[in-house]
Amino acid sequence: MNSFEILPHTADVRLRVKGKTLEALFKQAVLGMAQILKPNANIAKINANNTKQIKVESLNKEILLIDFLSEVLTLSQINKNIYNVSSLKFQDSSLEAELVGAKVDGFDEDIKAVTYHEAKITESKEGNFEVIITFDI
Amino acid sequence: MIAKKDLFKISDYLWEIPKSFRKDMRVAARFYASEKMLDDIFRDRSLDQLVNVATLPGIQKFALAMPDMHEGYGFPIGGVAAMDIKEGVISPGGIGYDINCGVRLLASDKNFGEIKPHLENLAESLFKEIPSGVGRGGKLKLSDKEMNEILEKGVAWLIKRGYADKNDLDFIESKGYLKEARADCVSSLAKKRGADQLGTMGAGNHFVEVDVIEEILDEEHAKKFGLFENQVAILIHTGSRGLGHQVATDYIKIMVRALDKYKIKIPDLELACAPFSSKEGQDYFSAMSAAANFAWANRQMITWHTRKVWNHFFGNSQLKLIYDVAHNIAKIEEYNGKKLIIHRKGATRAFPEQPVIIPGSMGTASYVLVGAEKAMKESFGSVCHGAGRMMSRHAALRQAQGREVKEKLSAKGVVVRTGSIRGLAEEAPFAYKNIDDVVDVVSGAGIAQKVARLRPMAVIKG
């Protein structure tokens, strides 16, 4: 099942993300991060015209995921937007994505950064993906 | 996992994990704690993280941690790591994402009785004047040119604009700027993230407090620093905001990619580093220095807002800067004739005779200490930085409602103004170690001495 769950950490916030595919995992991670930034954000308010294209190249899929989330976080902070992923294409260890954004007044949580700390993507026998991501808040 | 049996007791306040504990350690790991604090320290993985720090290339003498240590990622919070500038590395994770997060203390010429009738209104005005919370912009919107000047000049730039007193510079660590700063090493994204954040407090554990000096513990130094019993003081805790967070993110990414090039093996990617002398190392150091300058300018702008409010209430009464210390920073310092790059992540510089400001958790005591000669020999001129978190924000939220925390503080006579009632519960005192225990360890170890104890009377938070 595609899902995310916010977990406690001594000083920070962790997010457990599950996806049936790698693409679903990355999309869920963006949704989870948006949920931390603005728990009551109305994703339905997302404006189809407010789009951003991003391209990320990395060394492996874990680093790619963290770099991708970092880029989305930076855009969120600069543009005061919450983003969802409308399309995502992988090629080896790079990706191209289209984000759609919803303007927000501010955030409820100040995520300073997405960290590489222990971000290990695991794949189950059934082919489902899971990762735990640590955010510095 | 490390257990008590792996430790050597050096003194009542200092413990060592020997180099033989793990074969990839280049030096031993040492940490300051009392015996009764050990159980809490073993509850998280801060000591395992300290051992990881001891594996980094060029590390000197010991990987060190202070009694307020807690688990971070990569480096523990409360850590000090000194690297050789020729053979060693610089690691953005050893400074942290909030570059030059720090505290400054302003002291008034008023005693508490004089301001007590105005306390509620004073807190309200400080809350209104100083932008706080997530995403609220500051008074100054900086042009690209102004941003570059601040990044390279720090607080000195604000003097020219009338936002700082000339005398303030003498009471800021490094006089409010690091000369190695280069604005061109800071990405445009980082500059955009910081463009409207100068003079803003942010959220989380950042605050402005109105304190009263409850007890003088060293008359001579208190007099020298300008502190007296019952005096009203203001404590400011914040850092480089989004600008610093982005600088750290940008350079950790760069260094992760450079690990193979420099044949560096690390047990956790958040320890990503590059030789200090390499292009990546030098660019990061220049960018980090620029972000540190931005943070000092940020605390200075908040000081300007605070003084404006203070003068509105109390006329010509002055708020003198006692001292400003950074607790997430890397600096070049010399020990035994050798230049080292000192990483402090949740640790404070404590040179002999220098004031050291140690904020407690919200609503509990804070301390002014003075650095001691022993710190130069033992801890690379460093001490603790605060109480140190013990409980996750979620666990704190489960234990108490923000409203309850506010009521408890009110019962103790502490006025609270906050934009986030949930944030109050997250920062509740029970989520932190006892500040008295932490300070007792560093003074017991002789690396700093207590000068004064402060009690909060009003807390202003994002």
Side-chain angles (χ1 to χ4, degrees), chain A residues 6-14 39 57-59 63 67 70-71 73-74 77-78 80 105-118 134 136-137, chain B residues 44-45 49 70-74 97-98 134-135 189 192-193 196 203 206 241 245-246 249 252-253 256-257 268-270 389-395 398 422 426:
Chain A
I6 298 168
L7 310 169
H9 179 266
T10 310
D12 301 296
V13 166
R14 290 198 296 175
E57 285 184 27
S58 278
L59 304 173
I63 297 176
D67 290 348
S70 286
E71 295 241 356
L73 175 67
T74 301
Q77 299 274 13
I78 291 173
K80 307 229 173 8
D105 295 335
F107 302 106
D108 291 0
E109 191 70 80
D110 194 7
I111 300 182
K112 292 175 188 166
V114 192
T115 78
Y116 296 105
H117 184 54
E118 296 173 346
T134 307
D136 185 334
I137 59 168
Chain B
D44 71 19
R45 293 181 296 172
Q49 294 184 335
H70 64 81
E71 183 177 335
Y73 28 80
Y97 286 95
D98 197 357
V134 188
L189 288 176
K192 275 188 195 157
R193 248 175 110 168
D196 67 346
H206 294 160
R241 312 282 288 107
H245 310 161
Q246 191 65 38
T249 301
I252 293 176
K253 186 175 163 188
V256 163
R257 283 160 173 75
D268 184 327
L269 278 183
E270 287 293 313
R389 220 180 161 90
M390 207 163 63
M391 192 184 277
S392 76
R393 287 176 165 92
H394 281 253
R398 274 200 303 272
R422 189 187 72 154
E426 291 180 348

Side-chain angles (χ1 to χ4, degrees), chain B residues 10-30:
Chain B
I10 306 289
S11 76
D12 283 348
Y13 302 104
L14 184 59
W15 306 79
E16 181 173 302
I17 304 163
K19 192 167 164 275
S20 57
F21 174 73
R22 223 172 70 187
K23 67 172 193 281
D24 56 347
M25 288 170 79
R26 291 171 197 259
V27 293
R30 281 189 171 190

Side-chain angles (χ1 to χ4, degrees), chain B residues 133-291:
Chain B
V134 188
R136 197 173 145 204
K139 178 186 158 65
L140 288 179
K141 302 280 181 290
L142 302 172
S143 67
D144 292 351
K145 185 171 171 282
E146 289 171 324
M147 174 60 94
N148 290 340
E149 286 172 0
I150 289 182
L151 291 173
E152 294 192 352
K153 300 274 181 271
V155 175
W157 187 87
L158 291 171
I159 293 179
K160 282 195 292 184
R161 305 289 170 119
Y163 292 114
D165 294 340
K166 210 164 60 192
N167 298 334
D168 288 342
L169 287 185
D170 292 333
F171 300 96
I172 306 175
E173 182 175 328
S174 300
K175 293 191 185 282
Y177 106 110
L178 296 181
K179 65 176 187 309
E180 294 88 353
R182 276 179 49 193
D184 64 339
C185 290
V186 176
S187 71
S188 62
L189 288 176
K191 290 174 191 174
K192 275 188 195 157
R193 248 175 110 168
D196 67 346
Q197 293 185 331
L198 191 72
T200 66
M201 201 193 307
N205 61 357
H206 294 160
F207 62 75
V208 171
E209 257 182 25
V210 181
D211 289 351
V212 59
I213 300 202
E214 182 176 57
E215 197 181 356
I216 296 289
L217 302 153
D218 171 347
E219 282 289 347
E220 189 195 324
H221 282 105
K223 203 170 168 193
K224 189 175 156 194
F225 298 161
L227 304 174
F228 56 86
E229 204 171 297
N230 216 16
Q231 180 182 24
V232 176
I234 310 251
L235 193 58
I236 297 166
H237 177 208
T238 188
S240 51
R241 312 282 288 107
L243 182 134
H245 310 161
Q246 191 65 38
V247 166
T249 301
D250 291 341
Y251 281 92
I252 293 176
K253 186 175 163 188
I254 289 169
M255 290 193 185
V256 163
R257 283 160 173 75
L259 288 169
D260 274 356
K261 180 170 150 189
Y262 296 113
K263 300 185 175 57
I264 295 173
K265 289 208 183 327
I266 44 169
D268 184 327
L269 278 183
E270 287 293 313
L271 296 166
C273 53
F276 183 65
S277 56
S278 67
K279 177 168 170 26
E280 291 86 350
Q282 286 295 299
D283 284 356
Y284 168 68
F285 186 51
S286 301
M288 187 237 45
S289 299

